[in-house]
Amino acid sequence: QVQLVESGGGVVQPGRSLRLSCAASGFTFSSYAMHWVRQAPGKGLEWVAVISYDERDKFYADSVKGRFTISRDNSKNTLYLQMNSLTTEDTAVYYCAKVRLVGATYYFDYWGQGTLVTVSS
Amino acid sequence: EIVMTQSPATLSVSPGERATLSCRASQSVSSNLAWYQQKPGQAPRLLIYAASTRATGIPARFSGSGSGTEFTLTISSLQSEDFAVYYCQHYNNWRPFFGQGTKLEI
């Protein structure tokens, strides 16, 4: 069965960095684009970044552009999110999510359990 | 940029009753719309995709309808496990656009 397991969250001071990982199993990881989606406490879902299956294409939300970097290692079936210059606004649960192509569009068919990032002094 | 607007923000319904949740897109998204359910402390779960197709394992009491800019998620007879937050979502040019969510409460 498909599993996505995030790790790397924790408490970090403003201005510092953190790297999240998402270990994938149960599907051909190298064939799918992958996303990071976050959710601040008590708030809705906010898309963060996407990476194509072959790492050629990467896109970011304006709120993280220039500070966050998405990457993947298909040999390790792992997705990453390098987060630099963190602010309190980045405090959230971070989910990795797999998309499924249906017709001409995509849907999130599997999500990880999330990892909590708390930015606080 | 496409904006997805859900209404109401909170819906109070009794178990066994019918719940109707709405989602409006700022421009036509054809039938490219999904609904997700999220319970406290859990990740979102795909319920409906392509506006009206139930995802694997989703009970028949969940149904989706609509196209263009107006969409509806209907839960025909609410069970206790259905009380959660529901999000609609459209996907375009590599990125998803989520609604702000509707909290379905008892």
PDB file of all heavy atoms in Angstrom, chain A residues 23-49:
ATOM      1  N   ALA A  23       9.481  10.056   3.027  1.00  0.00           N
ATOM      2  CA  ALA A  23       9.846   8.741   2.493  1.00  0.00           C
ATOM      3  C   ALA A  23       8.615   8.081   1.887  1.00  0.00           C
ATOM      4  O   ALA A  23       7.589   7.949   2.556  1.00  0.00           O
ATOM      5  CB  ALA A  23      10.413   7.874   3.598  1.00  0.00           C
ATOM      6  N   ALA A  24       8.731   7.694   0.628  1.00  0.00           N
ATOM      7  CA  ALA A  24       7.600   7.126  -0.103  1.00  0.00           C
ATOM      8  C   ALA A  24       7.795   5.631  -0.324  1.00  0.00           C
ATOM      9  O   ALA A  24       8.919   5.158  -0.527  1.00  0.00           O
ATOM     10  CB  ALA A  24       7.444   7.832  -1.444  1.00  0.00           C
ATOM     11  N   SER A  25       6.702   4.911  -0.309  1.00  0.00           N
ATOM     12  CA  SER A  25       6.737   3.479  -0.603  1.00  0.00           C
ATOM     13  C   SER A  25       5.384   3.035  -1.123  1.00  0.00           C
ATOM     14  O   SER A  25       4.383   3.740  -0.962  1.00  0.00           O
ATOM     15  CB  SER A  25       7.111   2.681   0.650  1.00  0.00           C
ATOM     16  OG  SER A  25       6.169   2.889   1.676  1.00  0.00           O
ATOM     17  N   GLY A  26       5.373   1.879  -1.777  1.00  0.00           N
ATOM     18  CA  GLY A  26       4.113   1.309  -2.252  1.00  0.00           C
ATOM     19  C   GLY A  26       3.697   1.760  -3.635  1.00  0.00           C
ATOM     20  O   GLY A  26       2.613   1.391  -4.099  1.00  0.00           O
ATOM     21  N   PHE A  27       4.515   2.585  -4.282  1.00  0.00           N
ATOM     22  CA  PHE A  27       4.224   3.009  -5.646  1.00  0.00           C
ATOM     23  C   PHE A  27       5.542   3.382  -6.323  1.00  0.00           C
ATOM     24  O   PHE A  27       6.578   3.482  -5.667  1.00  0.00           O
ATOM     25  CB  PHE A  27       3.240   4.178  -5.683  1.00  0.00           C
ATOM     26  CG  PHE A  27       3.761   5.471  -5.095  1.00  0.00           C
ATOM     27  CD1 PHE A  27       4.179   6.518  -5.906  1.00  0.00           C
ATOM     28  CD2 PHE A  27       3.824   5.648  -3.716  1.00  0.00           C
ATOM     29  CE1 PHE A  27       4.650   7.706  -5.371  1.00  0.00           C
ATOM     30  CE2 PHE A  27       4.292   6.828  -3.164  1.00  0.00           C
ATOM     31  CZ  PHE A  27       4.717   7.863  -3.984  1.00  0.00           C
ATOM     32  N   THR A  28       5.493   3.584  -7.619  1.00  0.00           N
ATOM     33  CA  THR A  28       6.701   3.932  -8.368  1.00  0.00           C
ATOM     34  C   THR A  28       6.950   5.428  -8.218  1.00  0.00           C
ATOM     35  O   THR A  28       6.497   6.254  -9.011  1.00  0.00           O
ATOM     36  CB  THR A  28       6.545   3.540  -9.850  1.00  0.00           C
ATOM     37  OG1 THR A  28       6.184   2.157  -9.949  1.00  0.00           O
ATOM     38  CG2 THR A  28       7.869   3.754 -10.592  1.00  0.00           C
ATOM     39  N   PHE A  29       7.698   5.752  -7.178  1.00  0.00           N
ATOM     40  CA  PHE A  29       7.922   7.161  -6.791  1.00  0.00           C
ATOM     41  C   PHE A  29       8.447   7.983  -7.962  1.00  0.00           C
ATOM     42  O   PHE A  29       8.022   9.125  -8.173  1.00  0.00           O
ATOM     43  CB  PHE A  29       8.900   7.179  -5.624  1.00  0.00           C
ATOM     44  CG  PHE A  29       9.268   8.550  -5.127  1.00  0.00           C
ATOM     45  CD1 PHE A  29       8.360   9.300  -4.393  1.00  0.00           C
ATOM     46  CD2 PHE A  29      10.525   9.090  -5.372  1.00  0.00           C
ATOM     47  CE1 PHE A  29       8.692  10.554  -3.914  1.00  0.00           C
ATOM     48  CE2 PHE A  29      10.868  10.344  -4.911  1.00  0.00           C
ATOM     49  CZ  PHE A  29       9.947  11.089  -4.173  1.00  0.00           C
ATOM     50  N   SER A  30       9.346   7.411  -8.729  1.00  0.00           N
ATOM     51  CA  SER A  30      10.012   8.163  -9.801  1.00  0.00           C
ATOM     52  C   SER A  30       9.088   8.515 -10.955  1.00  0.00           C
ATOM     53  O   SER A  30       9.508   9.225 -11.872  1.00  0.00           O
ATOM     54  CB  SER A  30      11.199   7.351 -10.331  1.00  0.00           C
ATOM     55  OG  SER A  30      10.760   6.092 -10.814  1.00  0.00           O
ATOM     56  N   SER A  31       7.848   8.057 -10.911  1.00  0.00           N
ATOM     57  CA  SER A  31       6.895   8.322 -11.998  1.00  0.00           C
ATOM     58  C   SER A  31       5.913   9.446 -11.694  1.00  0.00           C
ATOM     59  O   SER A  31       5.103   9.792 -12.550  1.00  0.00           O
ATOM     60  CB  SER A  31       6.100   7.056 -12.329  1.00  0.00           C
ATOM     61  OG  SER A  31       6.934   6.028 -12.813  1.00  0.00           O
ATOM     62  N   TYR A  32       5.966   9.999 -10.484  1.00  0.00           N
ATOM     63  CA  TYR A  32       4.926  10.943 -10.061  1.00  0.00           C
ATOM     64  C   TYR A  32       5.499  12.274  -9.589  1.00  0.00           C
ATOM     65  O   TYR A  32       6.504  12.309  -8.868  1.00  0.00           O
ATOM     66  CB  TYR A  32       4.101  10.352  -8.916  1.00  0.00           C
ATOM     67  CG  TYR A  32       3.258   9.181  -9.344  1.00  0.00           C
ATOM     68  CD1 TYR A  32       3.775   7.886  -9.294  1.00  0.00           C
ATOM     69  CD2 TYR A  32       1.970   9.357  -9.809  1.00  0.00           C
ATOM     70  CE1 TYR A  32       3.020   6.807  -9.703  1.00  0.00           C
ATOM     71  CE2 TYR A  32       1.199   8.287 -10.219  1.00  0.00           C
ATOM     72  CZ  TYR A  32       1.740   7.008 -10.163  1.00  0.00           C
ATOM     73  OH  TYR A  32       0.981   5.950 -10.560  1.00  0.00           O
ATOM     74  N   ALA A  33       4.817  13.348  -9.975  1.00  0.00           N
ATOM     75  CA  ALA A  33       5.090  14.633  -9.354  1.00  0.00           C
ATOM     76  C   ALA A  33       4.679  14.571  -7.885  1.00  0.00           C
ATOM     77  O   ALA A  33       3.778  13.810  -7.518  1.00  0.00           O
ATOM     78  CB  ALA A  33       4.317  15.738 -10.070  1.00  0.00           C
ATOM     79  N   MET A  34       5.336  15.358  -7.067  1.00  0.00           N
ATOM     80  CA  MET A  34       5.062  15.374  -5.635  1.00  0.00           C
ATOM     81  C   MET A  34       4.947  16.811  -5.139  1.00  0.00           C
ATOM     82  O   MET A  34       5.609  17.713  -5.667  1.00  0.00           O
ATOM     83  CB  MET A  34       6.171  14.661  -4.865  1.00  0.00           C
ATOM     84  CG  MET A  34       6.293  13.177  -5.160  1.00  0.00           C
ATOM     85  SD  MET A  34       4.909  12.208  -4.572  1.00  0.00           S
ATOM     86  CE  MET A  34       5.064  12.405  -2.788  1.00  0.00           C
ATOM     87  N   HIS A  35       4.135  16.997  -4.121  1.00  0.00           N
ATOM     88  CA  HIS A  35       3.872  18.316  -3.568  1.00  0.00           C
ATOM     89  C   HIS A  35       4.150  18.365  -2.070  1.00  0.00           C
ATOM     90  O   HIS A  35       4.090  17.345  -1.382  1.00  0.00           O
ATOM     91  CB  HIS A  35       2.400  18.690  -3.755  1.00  0.00           C
ATOM     92  CG  HIS A  35       1.967  18.915  -5.151  1.00  0.00           C
ATOM     93  ND1 HIS A  35       1.666  20.177  -5.652  1.00  0.00           N
ATOM     94  CD2 HIS A  35       1.775  18.051  -6.167  1.00  0.00           C
ATOM     95  CE1 HIS A  35       1.295  20.068  -6.916  1.00  0.00           C
ATOM     96  NE2 HIS A  35       1.350  18.794  -7.258  1.00  0.00           N
ATOM     97  N   TRP A  36       4.389  19.582  -1.603  1.00  0.00           N
ATOM     98  CA  TRP A  36       4.319  19.912  -0.184  1.00  0.00           C
ATOM     99  C   TRP A  36       3.136  20.864  -0.001  1.00  0.00           C
ATOM    100  O   TRP A  36       3.010  21.849  -0.735  1.00  0.00           O
ATOM    101  CB  TRP A  36       5.594  20.567   0.306  1.00  0.00           C
ATOM    102  CG  TRP A  36       6.765  19.635   0.424  1.00  0.00           C
ATOM    103  CD1 TRP A  36       7.787  19.472  -0.460  1.00  0.00           C
ATOM    104  CD2 TRP A  36       7.032  18.729   1.510  1.00  0.00           C
ATOM    105  NE1 TRP A  36       8.673  18.527   0.001  1.00  0.00           N
ATOM    106  CE2 TRP A  36       8.244  18.060   1.203  1.00  0.00           C
ATOM    107  CE3 TRP A  36       6.389  18.430   2.716  1.00  0.00           C
ATOM    108  CZ2 TRP A  36       8.815  17.109   2.050  1.00  0.00           C
ATOM    109  CZ3 TRP A  36       6.954  17.477   3.548  1.00  0.00           C
ATOM    110  CH2 TRP A  36       8.151  16.822   3.217  1.00  0.00           C
ATOM    111  N   VAL A  37       2.320  20.564   0.988  1.00  0.00           N
ATOM    112  CA  VAL A  37       1.174  21.390   1.358  1.00  0.00           C
ATOM    113  C   VAL A  37       1.268  21.600   2.859  1.00  0.00           C
ATOM    114  O   VAL A  37       1.581  20.670   3.602  1.00  0.00           O
ATOM    115  CB  VAL A  37      -0.158  20.706   0.993  1.00  0.00           C
ATOM    116  CG1 VAL A  37      -1.341  21.546   1.462  1.00  0.00           C
ATOM    117  CG2 VAL A  37      -0.242  20.449  -0.514  1.00  0.00           C
ATOM    118  N   ARG A  38       1.000  22.798   3.321  1.00  0.00           N
ATOM    119  CA  ARG A  38       1.088  23.050   4.758  1.00  0.00           C
ATOM    120  C   ARG A  38      -0.226  23.558   5.310  1.00  0.00           C
ATOM    121  O   ARG A  38      -1.102  24.021   4.572  1.00  0.00           O
ATOM    122  CB  ARG A  38       2.214  24.029   5.064  1.00  0.00           C
ATOM    123  CG  ARG A  38       1.980  25.464   4.598  1.00  0.00           C
ATOM    124  CD  ARG A  38       3.218  26.310   4.888  1.00  0.00           C
ATOM    125  NE  ARG A  38       3.029  27.693   4.460  1.00  0.00           N
ATOM    126  CZ  ARG A  38       3.980  28.626   4.554  1.00  0.00           C
ATOM    127  NH1 ARG A  38       5.180  28.331   5.038  1.00  0.00           N
ATOM    128  NH2 ARG A  38       3.730  29.859   4.148  1.00  0.00           N
ATOM    129  N   GLN A  39      -0.326  23.497   6.626  1.00  0.00           N
ATOM    130  CA  GLN A  39      -1.540  23.928   7.317  1.00  0.00           C
ATOM    131  C   GLN A  39      -1.148  24.557   8.644  1.00  0.00           C
ATOM    132  O   GLN A  39      -0.693  23.863   9.563  1.00  0.00           O
ATOM    133  CB  GLN A  39      -2.467  22.731   7.547  1.00  0.00           C
ATOM    134  CG  GLN A  39      -3.822  23.084   8.098  1.00  0.00           C
ATOM    135  CD  GLN A  39      -4.763  21.905   8.057  1.00  0.00           C
ATOM    136  OE1 GLN A  39      -4.374  20.759   8.293  1.00  0.00           O
ATOM    137  NE2 GLN A  39      -6.034  22.165   7.749  1.00  0.00           N
ATOM    138  N   ALA A  40      -1.299  25.866   8.730  1.00  0.00           N
ATOM    139  CA  ALA A  40      -1.027  26.570   9.973  1.00  0.00           C
ATOM    140  C   ALA A  40      -2.072  26.171  11.010  1.00  0.00           C
ATOM    141  O   ALA A  40      -3.181  25.758  10.654  1.00  0.00           O
ATOM    142  CB  ALA A  40      -1.051  28.075   9.738  1.00  0.00           C
ATOM    143  N   PRO A  41      -1.743  26.284  12.285  1.00  0.00           N
ATOM    144  CA  PRO A  41      -2.675  25.866  13.342  1.00  0.00           C
ATOM    145  C   PRO A  41      -4.038  26.520  13.196  1.00  0.00           C
ATOM    146  O   PRO A  41      -4.141  27.750  13.118  1.00  0.00           O
ATOM    147  CB  PRO A  41      -1.962  26.316  14.621  1.00  0.00           C
ATOM    148  CG  PRO A  41      -0.525  26.321  14.272  1.00  0.00           C
ATOM    149  CD  PRO A  41      -0.452  26.740  12.844  1.00  0.00           C
ATOM    150  N   GLY A  42      -5.068  25.692  13.112  1.00  0.00           N
ATOM    151  CA  GLY A  42      -6.431  26.193  13.014  1.00  0.00           C
ATOM    152  C   GLY A  42      -6.808  26.806  11.674  1.00  0.00           C
ATOM    153  O   GLY A  42      -7.894  27.389  11.544  1.00  0.00           O
ATOM    154  N   LYS A  43      -5.943  26.670  10.689  1.00  0.00           N
ATOM    155  CA  LYS A  43      -6.182  27.288   9.378  1.00  0.00           C
ATOM    156  C   LYS A  43      -6.410  26.233   8.300  1.00  0.00           C
ATOM    157  O   LYS A  43      -6.380  25.030   8.566  1.00  0.00           O
ATOM    158  CB  LYS A  43      -4.987  28.165   8.991  1.00  0.00           C
ATOM    159  CG  LYS A  43      -4.672  29.261   9.987  1.00  0.00           C
ATOM    160  CD  LYS A  43      -5.818  30.257  10.137  1.00  0.00           C
ATOM    161  CE  LYS A  43      -5.439  31.397  11.073  1.00  0.00           C
ATOM    162  NZ  LYS A  43      -6.572  32.366  11.233  1.00  0.00           N
ATOM    163  N   GLY A  44      -6.600  26.701   7.069  1.00  0.00           N
ATOM    164  CA  GLY A  44      -6.840  25.809   5.949  1.00  0.00           C
ATOM    165  C   GLY A  44      -5.557  25.318   5.299  1.00  0.00           C
ATOM    166  O   GLY A  44      -4.454  25.542   5.794  1.00  0.00           O
ATOM    167  N   LEU A  45      -5.731  24.653   4.184  1.00  0.00           N
ATOM    168  CA  LEU A  45      -4.615  24.072   3.456  1.00  0.00           C
ATOM    169  C   LEU A  45      -3.980  25.113   2.542  1.00  0.00           C
ATOM    170  O   LEU A  45      -4.668  25.834   1.823  1.00  0.00           O
ATOM    171  CB  LEU A  45      -5.107  22.892   2.614  1.00  0.00           C
ATOM    172  CG  LEU A  45      -5.768  21.768   3.397  1.00  0.00           C
ATOM    173  CD1 LEU A  45      -6.439  20.779   2.456  1.00  0.00           C
ATOM    174  CD2 LEU A  45      -4.756  21.060   4.283  1.00  0.00           C
ATOM    175  N   GLU A  46      -2.642  25.164   2.577  1.00  0.00           N
ATOM    176  CA  GLU A  46      -1.892  26.099   1.740  1.00  0.00           C
ATOM    177  C   GLU A  46      -0.838  25.326   0.960  1.00  0.00           C
ATOM    178  O   GLU A  46       0.042  24.677   1.541  1.00  0.00           O
ATOM    179  CB  GLU A  46      -1.215  27.183   2.583  1.00  0.00           C
ATOM    180  CG  GLU A  46      -0.409  28.169   1.741  1.00  0.00           C
ATOM    181  CD  GLU A  46       0.455  29.114   2.561  1.00  0.00           C
ATOM    182  OE1 GLU A  46       0.659  28.859   3.762  1.00  0.00           O
ATOM    183  OE2 GLU A  46       0.947  30.115   2.003  1.00  0.00           O
ATOM    184  N   TRP A  47      -0.916  25.412  -0.342  1.00  0.00           N
ATOM    185  CA  TRP A  47       0.087  24.765  -1.173  1.00  0.00           C
ATOM    186  C   TRP A  47       1.435  25.456  -1.016  1.00  0.00           C
ATOM    187  O   TRP A  47       1.519  26.676  -0.903  1.00  0.00           O
ATOM    188  CB  TRP A  47      -0.352  24.814  -2.627  1.00  0.00           C
ATOM    189  CG  TRP A  47       0.679  24.312  -3.580  1.00  0.00           C
ATOM    190  CD1 TRP A  47       1.073  23.014  -3.769  1.00  0.00           C
ATOM    191  CD2 TRP A  47       1.445  25.105  -4.476  1.00  0.00           C
ATOM    192  NE1 TRP A  47       2.048  22.953  -4.743  1.00  0.00           N
ATOM    193  CE2 TRP A  47       2.296  24.229  -5.190  1.00  0.00           C
ATOM    194  CE3 TRP A  47       1.515  26.458  -4.763  1.00  0.00           C
ATOM    195  CZ2 TRP A  47       3.185  24.666  -6.155  1.00  0.00           C
ATOM    196  CZ3 TRP A  47       2.397  26.897  -5.730  1.00  0.00           C
ATOM    197  CH2 TRP A  47       3.226  26.001  -6.417  1.00  0.00           C
ATOM    198  N   VAL A  48       2.521  24.659  -1.008  1.00  0.00           N
ATOM    199  CA  VAL A  48       3.868  25.187  -0.805  1.00  0.00           C
ATOM    200  C   VAL A  48       4.726  25.054  -2.066  1.00  0.00           C
ATOM    201  O   VAL A  48       5.310  26.028  -2.535  1.00  0.00           O
ATOM    202  CB  VAL A  48       4.562  24.473   0.369  1.00  0.00           C
ATOM    203  CG1 VAL A  48       6.021  24.911   0.490  1.00  0.00           C
ATOM    204  CG2 VAL A  48       3.810  24.732   1.669  1.00  0.00           C
ATOM    205  N   ALA A  49       4.819  23.823  -2.590  1.00  0.00           N
ATOM    206  CA  ALA A  49       5.731  23.600  -3.719  1.00  0.00           C
ATOM    207  C   ALA A  49       5.400  22.284  -4.410  1.00  0.00           C
ATOM    208  O   ALA A  49       4.770  21.396  -3.825  1.00  0.00           O
ATOM    209  CB  ALA A  49       7.181  23.576  -3.242  1.00  0.00           C
TER     210      ALA A  49
END
